[in-house]
Short mmCIF file of all heavy atoms in Angstrom, two decimals:
data_model
loop_
_atom_site.label_atom_id
_atom_site.label_comp_id
_atom_site.label_asym_id
_atom_site.label_seq_id
_atom_site.Cartn_x
_atom_site.Cartn_y
_atom_site.Cartn_z
N GLU Y 19 79.39 128.50 101.37
CA GLU Y 19 80.04 128.71 100.08
C GLU Y 19 78.92 128.81 99.05
O GLU Y 19 77.91 128.14 99.16
CB GLU Y 19 80.95 127.52 99.73
CG GLU Y 19 81.97 127.17 100.79
CD GLU Y 19 82.91 128.31 101.12
OE1 GLU Y 19 83.30 129.05 100.20
OE2 GLU Y 19 83.25 128.47 102.30
N TYR Y 20 79.11 129.67 98.05
CA TYR Y 20 78.08 129.88 97.05
C TYR Y 20 78.62 129.53 95.67
O TYR Y 20 79.69 129.98 95.29
CB TYR Y 20 77.60 131.34 97.04
CG TYR Y 20 77.16 131.81 98.41
CD1 TYR Y 20 77.97 132.62 99.18
CD2 TYR Y 20 75.94 131.41 98.93
CE1 TYR Y 20 77.57 133.04 100.44
CE2 TYR Y 20 75.52 131.81 100.19
CZ TYR Y 20 76.36 132.64 100.94
OH TYR Y 20 75.95 133.03 102.19
N ILE Y 21 77.86 128.72 94.96
CA ILE Y 21 78.20 128.37 93.59
C ILE Y 21 77.05 128.88 92.74
O ILE Y 21 75.90 128.48 92.93
CB ILE Y 21 78.38 126.85 93.42
CG1 ILE Y 21 79.50 126.36 94.31
CG2 ILE Y 21 78.64 126.52 91.94
CD1 ILE Y 21 79.57 124.86 94.44
N ARG Y 22 77.35 129.78 91.82
CA ARG Y 22 76.33 130.36 90.95
C ARG Y 22 76.71 130.11 89.50
O ARG Y 22 77.89 130.13 89.15
CB ARG Y 22 76.22 131.86 91.17
CG ARG Y 22 75.72 132.24 92.54
CD ARG Y 22 75.72 133.75 92.69
NE ARG Y 22 75.14 134.16 93.93
CZ ARG Y 22 74.24 135.12 94.06
NH1 ARG Y 22 73.85 135.80 93.00
NH2 ARG Y 22 73.74 135.43 95.22
N ASN Y 23 75.69 129.89 88.67
CA ASN Y 23 75.95 129.74 87.25
C ASN Y 23 74.75 130.24 86.46
O ASN Y 23 73.64 130.34 86.99
CB ASN Y 23 76.29 128.29 86.87
CG ASN Y 23 75.16 127.33 87.08
OD1 ASN Y 23 74.19 127.62 87.78
ND2 ASN Y 23 75.25 126.18 86.47
N ALA Y 24 74.97 130.57 85.22
CA ALA Y 24 73.89 131.03 84.35
C ALA Y 24 72.90 129.89 84.15
O ALA Y 24 73.28 128.77 83.86
CB ALA Y 24 74.45 131.48 83.01
N GLY Y 25 71.64 130.16 84.36
CA GLY Y 25 70.60 129.14 84.20
C GLY Y 25 70.31 128.37 85.46
O GLY Y 25 69.26 127.76 85.59
N GLY Y 26 71.24 128.36 86.41
CA GLY Y 26 71.01 127.74 87.70
C GLY Y 26 70.91 126.22 87.73
O GLY Y 26 70.58 125.65 88.76
N ARG Y 27 71.18 125.56 86.63
CA ARG Y 27 71.05 124.11 86.60
C ARG Y 27 72.32 123.42 87.07
O ARG Y 27 73.42 123.97 87.00
CB ARG Y 27 70.72 123.63 85.18
CG ARG Y 27 69.38 124.10 84.61
CD ARG Y 27 68.16 123.77 85.48
NE ARG Y 27 67.98 122.39 85.83
CZ ARG Y 27 67.14 121.56 85.23
NH1 ARG Y 27 66.39 121.97 84.23
NH2 ARG Y 27 67.03 120.31 85.63
N VAL Y 28 72.15 122.19 87.57
CA VAL Y 28 73.29 121.40 88.00
C VAL Y 28 74.00 120.87 86.76
O VAL Y 28 73.41 120.18 85.93
CB VAL Y 28 72.85 120.24 88.91
CG1 VAL Y 28 74.00 119.29 89.19
CG2 VAL Y 28 72.29 120.79 90.22
N THR Y 29 75.26 121.24 86.64
CA THR Y 29 76.10 120.80 85.53
C THR Y 29 77.28 120.02 86.10
O THR Y 29 77.48 119.96 87.32
CB THR Y 29 76.64 122.01 84.74
OG1 THR Y 29 77.49 122.77 85.62
CG2 THR Y 29 75.51 122.90 84.22
N ASP Y 30 78.09 119.46 85.21
CA ASP Y 30 79.30 118.77 85.67
C ASP Y 30 80.21 119.72 86.44
O ASP Y 30 80.84 119.33 87.43
CB ASP Y 30 80.05 118.16 84.49
CG ASP Y 30 79.32 116.97 83.89
OD1 ASP Y 30 78.40 116.42 84.54
OD2 ASP Y 30 79.66 116.59 82.75
N ASP Y 31 80.29 120.99 86.02
CA ASP Y 31 81.11 121.97 86.74
C ASP Y 31 80.58 122.21 88.15
O ASP Y 31 81.36 122.35 89.10
CB ASP Y 31 81.17 123.30 85.99
CG ASP Y 31 82.04 123.23 84.76
OD1 ASP Y 31 82.92 122.36 84.69
OD2 ASP Y 31 81.84 124.06 83.85
N VAL Y 32 79.28 122.28 88.29
CA VAL Y 32 78.67 122.46 89.62
C VAL Y 32 79.00 121.26 90.51
O VAL Y 32 79.41 121.42 91.66
CB VAL Y 32 77.15 122.67 89.51
CG1 VAL Y 32 76.47 122.58 90.87
CG2 VAL Y 32 76.84 124.00 88.84
N ILE Y 33 78.84 120.06 89.98
CA ILE Y 33 79.13 118.86 90.76
C ILE Y 33 80.60 118.82 91.15
O ILE Y 33 80.94 118.52 92.30
CB ILE Y 33 78.72 117.59 89.99
CG1 ILE Y 33 77.19 117.53 89.90
CG2 ILE Y 33 79.27 116.33 90.67
CD1 ILE Y 33 76.65 116.43 89.01
N ARG Y 34 81.49 119.18 90.24
CA ARG Y 34 82.92 119.21 90.55
C ARG Y 34 83.21 120.22 91.66
O ARG Y 34 83.95 119.95 92.60
CB ARG Y 34 83.72 119.54 89.29
CG ARG Y 34 85.20 119.47 89.46
CD ARG Y 34 86.01 119.63 88.18
NE ARG Y 34 85.44 120.51 87.18
CZ ARG Y 34 84.82 120.09 86.06
NH1 ARG Y 34 84.67 118.80 85.82
NH2 ARG Y 34 84.35 120.96 85.19
N SER Y 35 82.59 121.40 91.59
CA SER Y 35 82.79 122.41 92.62
C SER Y 35 82.26 121.95 93.97
O SER Y 35 82.88 122.18 95.02
CB SER Y 35 82.11 123.73 92.21
OG SER Y 35 82.73 124.25 91.06
N LEU Y 36 81.10 121.29 93.97
CA LEU Y 36 80.55 120.76 95.22
C LEU Y 36 81.42 119.64 95.79
O LEU Y 36 81.56 119.53 97.01
CB LEU Y 36 79.11 120.27 95.00
CG LEU Y 36 78.09 121.38 94.78
CD1 LEU Y 36 76.77 120.79 94.30
CD2 LEU Y 36 77.91 122.21 96.03
N PHE Y 37 82.00 118.84 94.93
CA PHE Y 37 82.92 117.79 95.39
C PHE Y 37 84.10 118.41 96.12
O PHE Y 37 84.47 117.97 97.21
CB PHE Y 37 83.41 116.95 94.20
CG PHE Y 37 84.46 115.95 94.56
CD1 PHE Y 37 84.12 114.78 95.22
CD2 PHE Y 37 85.79 116.18 94.27
CE1 PHE Y 37 85.09 113.86 95.58
CE2 PHE Y 37 86.77 115.27 94.62
CZ PHE Y 37 86.42 114.10 95.28
N VAL Y 38 84.68 119.45 95.56
CA VAL Y 38 85.80 120.15 96.20
C VAL Y 38 85.34 120.73 97.53
O VAL Y 38 86.03 120.62 98.55
CB VAL Y 38 86.39 121.23 95.28
CG1 VAL Y 38 87.38 122.11 96.02
CG2 VAL Y 38 87.05 120.60 94.06
N ALA Y 39 84.16 121.35 97.55
CA ALA Y 39 83.64 121.95 98.78
C ALA Y 39 83.46 120.89 99.87
O ALA Y 39 83.81 121.13 101.03
CB ALA Y 39 82.31 122.66 98.51
N GLN Y 40 82.94 119.73 99.52
CA GLN Y 40 82.73 118.71 100.55
C GLN Y 40 84.04 118.13 101.04
O GLN Y 40 84.20 117.81 102.22
CB GLN Y 40 81.77 117.62 100.08
CG GLN Y 40 82.40 116.63 99.13
CD GLN Y 40 81.44 115.60 98.58
OE1 GLN Y 40 80.24 115.66 98.80
NE2 GLN Y 40 81.97 114.64 97.86
N GLU Y 41 85.02 117.97 100.14
CA GLU Y 41 86.29 117.37 100.52
C GLU Y 41 87.20 118.32 101.28
O GLU Y 41 87.85 117.93 102.24
CB GLU Y 41 87.01 116.84 99.28
CG GLU Y 41 86.28 115.70 98.59
CD GLU Y 41 86.06 114.50 99.48
OE1 GLU Y 41 87.03 114.01 100.09
OE2 GLU Y 41 84.90 114.03 99.57
N LEU Y 42 87.26 119.58 100.85
CA LEU Y 42 88.19 120.54 101.47
C LEU Y 42 87.54 121.44 102.51
O LEU Y 42 88.21 121.86 103.45
CB LEU Y 42 88.84 121.40 100.39
CG LEU Y 42 89.67 120.65 99.34
CD1 LEU Y 42 90.23 121.61 98.31
CD2 LEU Y 42 90.77 119.84 100.00
N LEU Y 43 86.27 121.74 102.35
CA LEU Y 43 85.60 122.69 103.24
C LEU Y 43 84.59 122.01 104.16
O LEU Y 43 83.94 122.66 104.96
CB LEU Y 43 84.91 123.78 102.41
CG LEU Y 43 85.84 124.53 101.46
CD1 LEU Y 43 85.04 125.43 100.54
CD2 LEU Y 43 86.89 125.31 102.22
N HIS Y 44 84.45 120.69 104.02
CA HIS Y 44 83.60 119.88 104.89
C HIS Y 44 82.13 120.31 104.85
O HIS Y 44 81.48 120.44 105.89
CB HIS Y 44 84.14 119.86 106.31
CG HIS Y 44 85.58 119.52 106.37
ND1 HIS Y 44 86.05 118.26 106.03
CD2 HIS Y 44 86.68 120.28 106.62
CE1 HIS Y 44 87.38 118.26 106.12
NE2 HIS Y 44 87.78 119.46 106.48
N THR Y 45 81.62 120.49 103.65
CA THR Y 45 80.22 120.85 103.44
C THR Y 45 79.31 119.83 104.11
O THR Y 45 79.53 118.63 104.01
CB THR Y 45 79.92 120.88 101.92
OG1 THR Y 45 80.74 121.89 101.33
CG2 THR Y 45 78.47 121.15 101.63
N LYS Y 46 78.28 120.31 104.78
CA LYS Y 46 77.33 119.44 105.48
C LYS Y 46 75.98 119.38 104.76
O LYS Y 46 75.22 118.44 104.96
CB LYS Y 46 77.09 119.94 106.90
CG LYS Y 46 78.36 120.03 107.74
CD LYS Y 46 78.83 118.66 108.15
CE LYS Y 46 79.97 118.75 109.12
NZ LYS Y 46 81.28 118.49 108.58
N ALA Y 47 75.68 120.41 103.96
CA ALA Y 47 74.38 120.46 103.26
C ALA Y 47 74.53 121.25 101.98
O ALA Y 47 75.41 122.11 101.86
CB ALA Y 47 73.32 121.09 104.15
N ILE Y 48 73.66 120.95 101.03
CA ILE Y 48 73.59 121.68 99.78
C ILE Y 48 72.20 122.29 99.69
O ILE Y 48 71.19 121.58 99.86
CB ILE Y 48 73.83 120.75 98.57
CG1 ILE Y 48 75.26 120.18 98.63
CG2 ILE Y 48 73.57 121.49 97.25
CD1 ILE Y 48 75.51 119.06 97.62
N LEU Y 49 72.13 123.59 99.46
CA LEU Y 49 70.87 124.29 99.30
C LEU Y 49 70.81 124.76 97.85
O LEU Y 49 71.52 125.68 97.46
CB LEU Y 49 70.78 125.49 100.24
CG LEU Y 49 71.09 125.20 101.71
CD1 LEU Y 49 71.07 126.49 102.52
CD2 LEU Y 49 70.11 124.20 102.28
N LEU Y 50 69.98 124.12 97.06
CA LEU Y 50 69.86 124.44 95.64
C LEU Y 50 68.66 125.36 95.47
O LEU Y 50 67.58 125.08 95.98
CB LEU Y 50 69.65 123.13 94.86
CG LEU Y 50 69.51 123.27 93.37
CD1 LEU Y 50 70.37 122.24 92.67
CD2 LEU Y 50 68.07 123.16 92.95
N VAL Y 51 68.85 126.49 94.76
CA VAL Y 51 67.79 127.47 94.58
C VAL Y 51 67.64 127.83 93.11
O VAL Y 51 68.60 128.26 92.47
CB VAL Y 51 68.09 128.76 95.39
CG1 VAL Y 51 66.95 129.77 95.23
CG2 VAL Y 51 68.34 128.46 96.86
N HIS Y 52 66.45 127.64 92.58
CA HIS Y 52 66.08 128.19 91.28
C HIS Y 52 65.16 129.37 91.57
O HIS Y 52 64.56 129.44 92.64
CB HIS Y 52 65.35 127.16 90.44
CG HIS Y 52 66.22 126.03 89.99
ND1 HIS Y 52 65.82 125.13 89.06
CD2 HIS Y 52 67.48 125.65 90.33
CE1 HIS Y 52 66.77 124.24 88.83
NE2 HIS Y 52 67.79 124.54 89.62
N HIS Y 53 65.06 130.31 90.63
CA HIS Y 53 64.23 131.48 90.91
C HIS Y 53 63.35 131.87 89.74
O HIS Y 53 63.61 131.52 88.59
CB HIS Y 53 65.10 132.66 91.35
CG HIS Y 53 66.00 133.19 90.28
ND1 HIS Y 53 65.61 134.13 89.37
CD2 HIS Y 53 67.28 132.90 89.98
CE1 HIS Y 53 66.62 134.41 88.56
NE2 HIS Y 53 67.65 133.66 88.90
N THR Y 54 62.29 132.61 90.07
CA THR Y 54 61.36 133.10 89.06
C THR Y 54 62.03 134.23 88.28
O THR Y 54 63.07 134.75 88.68
CB THR Y 54 60.08 133.63 89.71
OG1 THR Y 54 60.42 134.72 90.59
CG2 THR Y 54 59.35 132.55 90.49
N ASP Y 55 61.40 134.59 87.19
CA ASP Y 55 61.84 135.71 86.36
C ASP Y 55 63.29 135.55 85.93
O ASP Y 55 64.09 136.47 85.99
CB ASP Y 55 61.64 137.03 87.11
CG ASP Y 55 61.73 138.23 86.19
OD1 ASP Y 55 61.44 138.08 84.99
OD2 ASP Y 55 62.11 139.32 86.66
N CYS Y 56 63.62 134.34 85.52
CA CYS Y 56 64.98 134.01 85.11
C CYS Y 56 65.04 133.92 83.60
O CYS Y 56 64.18 133.29 82.98
CB CYS Y 56 65.40 132.68 85.74
SG CYS Y 56 67.09 132.20 85.37
N ILE Y 57 66.04 134.51 83.01
CA ILE Y 57 66.24 134.39 81.57
C ILE Y 57 66.93 133.06 81.32
O ILE Y 57 68.02 132.81 81.81
CB ILE Y 57 67.09 135.55 81.03
CG1 ILE Y 57 66.38 136.86 81.28
CG2 ILE Y 57 67.40 135.34 79.56
CD1 ILE Y 57 67.23 138.07 81.00
N ARG Y 58 66.26 132.22 80.57
CA ARG Y 58 66.79 130.89 80.28
C ARG Y 58 66.81 130.69 78.77
O ARG Y 58 66.27 131.46 78.01
CB ARG Y 58 65.93 129.83 80.95
CG ARG Y 58 65.84 130.02 82.46
CD ARG Y 58 65.46 128.72 83.12
NE ARG Y 58 65.18 128.91 84.52
CZ ARG Y 58 66.03 128.64 85.50
NH1 ARG Y 58 67.21 128.19 85.25
NH2 ARG Y 58 65.69 128.81 86.76
N ASP Y 59 67.42 129.62 78.38
CA ASP Y 59 67.47 129.24 76.97
C ASP Y 59 66.05 129.25 76.39
O ASP Y 59 65.16 128.64 76.97
CB ASP Y 59 68.08 127.84 76.88
CG ASP Y 59 68.24 127.34 75.48
OD1 ASP Y 59 67.30 127.49 74.67
OD2 ASP Y 59 69.31 126.79 75.19
N PRO Y 60 65.82 129.93 75.26
CA PRO Y 60 64.46 130.00 74.69
C PRO Y 60 63.84 128.63 74.42
O PRO Y 60 62.64 128.49 74.43
CB PRO Y 60 64.66 130.76 73.38
CG PRO Y 60 65.97 131.45 73.52
CD PRO Y 60 66.79 130.65 74.48
N ASN Y 61 64.64 127.62 74.19
CA ASN Y 61 64.11 126.28 73.96
C ASN Y 61 63.65 125.62 75.25
O ASN Y 61 63.04 124.56 75.21
CB ASN Y 61 65.16 125.40 73.28
CG ASN Y 61 65.52 125.92 71.91
OD1 ASN Y 61 64.66 126.38 71.16
ND2 ASN Y 61 66.80 125.89 71.59
N LEU Y 62 63.95 126.22 76.37
CA LEU Y 62 63.61 125.63 77.67
C LEU Y 62 62.73 126.56 78.49
O LEU Y 62 62.77 126.56 79.71
CB LEU Y 62 64.91 125.32 78.44
CG LEU Y 62 65.90 124.42 77.71
CD1 LEU Y 62 67.21 124.35 78.47
CD2 LEU Y 62 65.34 123.04 77.49
N MET Y 63 61.91 127.35 77.84
CA MET Y 63 61.11 128.36 78.52
C MET Y 63 60.09 127.78 79.49
O MET Y 63 59.60 128.47 80.35
CB MET Y 63 60.40 129.25 77.50
CG MET Y 63 61.36 130.12 76.70
SD MET Y 63 62.42 131.15 77.73
CE MET Y 63 61.30 132.47 78.09
N HIS Y 64 59.78 126.49 79.38
CA HIS Y 64 58.82 125.89 80.30
C HIS Y 64 59.30 125.99 81.75
O HIS Y 64 58.52 125.88 82.67
CB HIS Y 64 58.52 124.44 79.92
CG HIS Y 64 59.69 123.54 80.06
ND1 HIS Y 64 60.67 123.43 79.10
CD2 HIS Y 64 60.05 122.70 81.05
CE1 HIS Y 64 61.58 122.55 79.50
NE2 HIS Y 64 61.23 122.10 80.67
N TRP Y 65 60.57 126.20 81.97
CA TRP Y 65 61.08 126.33 83.34
C TRP Y 65 60.62 127.62 84.00
O TRP Y 65 60.69 127.75 85.20
CB TRP Y 65 62.61 126.33 83.34
CG TRP Y 65 63.22 125.02 83.03
CD1 TRP Y 65 62.62 123.80 83.03
CD2 TRP Y 65 64.56 124.81 82.65
NE1 TRP Y 65 63.51 122.84 82.67
CE2 TRP Y 65 64.71 123.43 82.44
CE3 TRP Y 65 65.65 125.64 82.47
CZ2 TRP Y 65 65.92 122.87 82.07
CZ3 TRP Y 65 66.84 125.08 82.11
CH2 TRP Y 65 66.97 123.72 81.90
N ARG Y 66 60.15 128.57 83.22
CA ARG Y 66 59.79 129.86 83.78
C ARG Y 66 58.52 129.80 84.62
O ARG Y 66 58.30 130.65 85.47
CB ARG Y 66 59.67 130.90 82.69
CG ARG Y 66 61.02 131.16 82.04
CD ARG Y 66 60.97 132.28 81.12
NE ARG Y 66 60.86 133.50 81.90
CZ ARG Y 66 60.84 134.70 81.38
NH1 ARG Y 66 60.92 134.84 80.08
NH2 ARG Y 66 60.73 135.76 82.12
N SER Y 67 57.64 128.85 84.38
CA SER Y 67 56.44 128.73 85.20
C SER Y 67 56.84 128.18 86.56
O SER Y 67 57.87 127.52 86.70
CB SER Y 67 55.43 127.79 84.55
OG SER Y 67 55.87 126.45 84.63
N MET Y 68 56.03 128.44 87.57
CA MET Y 68 56.33 127.95 88.91
C MET Y 68 56.41 126.42 88.92
O MET Y 68 57.32 125.84 89.51
CB MET Y 68 55.30 128.45 89.92
CG MET Y 68 55.64 128.09 91.35
SD MET Y 68 57.25 128.70 91.94
CE MET Y 68 56.87 130.40 92.28
N GLU Y 69 55.47 125.75 88.25
CA GLU Y 69 55.50 124.29 88.21
C GLU Y 69 56.75 123.79 87.49
O GLU Y 69 57.35 122.82 87.90
CB GLU Y 69 54.23 123.74 87.57
CG GLU Y 69 53.02 123.84 88.47
CD GLU Y 69 53.27 123.30 89.88
OE1 GLU Y 69 53.73 122.15 90.02
OE2 GLU Y 69 52.99 124.03 90.85
N GLY Y 70 57.14 124.47 86.40
CA GLY Y 70 58.36 124.10 85.69
C GLY Y 70 59.59 124.28 86.56
O GLY Y 70 60.51 123.46 86.53
N LEU Y 71 59.60 125.34 87.35
CA LEU Y 71 60.73 125.56 88.27
C LEU Y 71 60.80 124.48 89.33
O LEU Y 71 61.87 123.97 89.65
CB LEU Y 71 60.61 126.94 88.93
CG LEU Y 71 61.03 128.12 88.09
CD1 LEU Y 71 60.62 129.43 88.77
CD2 LEU Y 71 62.52 128.11 87.85
N LYS Y 72 59.66 124.13 89.87
CA LYS Y 72 59.63 123.06 90.89
C LYS Y 72 60.16 121.76 90.31
O LYS Y 72 60.92 121.05 90.96
CB LYS Y 72 58.22 122.88 91.44
CG LYS Y 72 57.77 124.02 92.33
CD LYS Y 72 56.35 123.80 92.80
CE LYS Y 72 55.88 124.94 93.68
NZ LYS Y 72 54.48 124.77 94.11
N GLU Y 73 59.77 121.45 89.09
CA GLU Y 73 60.24 120.22 88.45
C GLU Y 73 61.74 120.27 88.21
O GLU Y 73 62.44 119.28 88.40
CB GLU Y 73 59.48 119.97 87.14
CG GLU Y 73 58.07 119.47 87.37
CD GLU Y 73 57.99 118.27 88.30
OE1 GLU Y 73 58.73 117.28 88.07
OE2 GLU Y 73 57.21 118.31 89.26
N SER Y 74 62.26 121.43 87.77
CA SER Y 74 63.70 121.53 87.53
C SER Y 74 64.47 121.41 88.84
O SER Y 74 65.56 120.83 88.87
CB SER Y 74 64.06 122.81 86.77
OG SER Y 74 63.84 123.97 87.54
N VAL Y 75 63.93 121.92 89.93
CA VAL Y 75 64.57 121.76 91.24
C VAL Y 75 64.62 120.28 91.61
O VAL Y 75 65.66 119.77 92.03
CB VAL Y 75 63.83 122.58 92.33
CG1 VAL Y 75 64.25 122.15 93.73
CG2 VAL Y 75 64.05 124.06 92.13
N LYS Y 76 63.51 119.58 91.45
CA LYS Y 76 63.47 118.14 91.77
C LYS Y 76 64.47 117.36 90.92
O LYS Y 76 65.17 116.49 91.43
CB LYS Y 76 62.06 117.59 91.57
CG LYS Y 76 61.06 118.08 92.58
CD LYS Y 76 59.67 117.58 92.24
CE LYS Y 76 58.62 118.19 93.16
NZ LYS Y 76 57.26 117.78 92.77
N GLU Y 77 64.55 117.69 89.63
CA GLU Y 77 65.50 117.03 88.74
C GLU Y 77 66.93 117.26 89.19
O GLU Y 77 67.75 116.34 89.21
CB GLU Y 77 65.33 117.54 87.31
CG GLU Y 77 64.07 117.09 86.62
CD GLU Y 77 63.82 117.83 85.32
OE1 GLU Y 77 64.71 118.59 84.85
OE2 GLU Y 77 62.73 117.65 84.75
N ASP Y 78 67.25 118.51 89.56
CA ASP Y 78 68.62 118.81 89.95
C ASP Y 78 69.00 118.20 91.29
O ASP Y 78 70.13 117.75 91.48
CB ASP Y 78 68.85 120.33 89.95
CG ASP Y 78 69.05 120.88 88.55
OD1 ASP Y 78 69.12 120.09 87.59
OD2 ASP Y 78 69.14 122.12 88.42
N VAL Y 79 68.07 118.16 92.24
CA VAL Y 79 68.35 117.49 93.52
C VAL Y 79 68.60 116.01 93.26
O VAL Y 79 69.54 115.42 93.81
CB VAL Y 79 67.21 117.73 94.53
CG1 VAL Y 79 67.35 116.79 95.74
CG2 VAL Y 79 67.20 119.19 94.99
N ALA Y 80 67.79 115.40 92.41
CA ALA Y 80 67.98 113.98 92.08
C ALA Y 80 69.32 113.76 91.38
O ALA Y 80 70.01 112.76 91.65
CB ALA Y 80 66.83 113.49 91.20
#
Side-chain angles (χ1 to χ4, degrees):
E19 306 302 322
Y20 306 103
I21 300 168
R22 294 177 174 227
N23 65 343
R27 296 305 305 260
V28 171
T29 64
D30 289 344
D31 286 337
V32 169
I33 291 172
R34 185 173 33 257
S35 295
L36 289 169
F37 174 76
V38 170
Q40 77 184 6
E41 295 301 309
L42 299 179
L43 304 171
H44 310 292
T45 298
K46 302 286 188 257
I48 296 170
L49 309 176
L50 180 134
V51 182
H52 291 191
H53 66 86
T54 60
D55 195 26
C56 182
I57 298 170
R58 302 201 189 260
D59 182 314
N61 297 320
L62 304 172
M63 293 304 280
H64 66 278
W65 289 345
R66 294 188 72 177
S67 72
M68 186 58 79
E69 286 310 307
L71 282 169
K72 288 178 181 178
E73 285 308 309
S74 67
V75 166
K76 290 175 186 176
E77 289 169 8
D78 282 354
V79 167

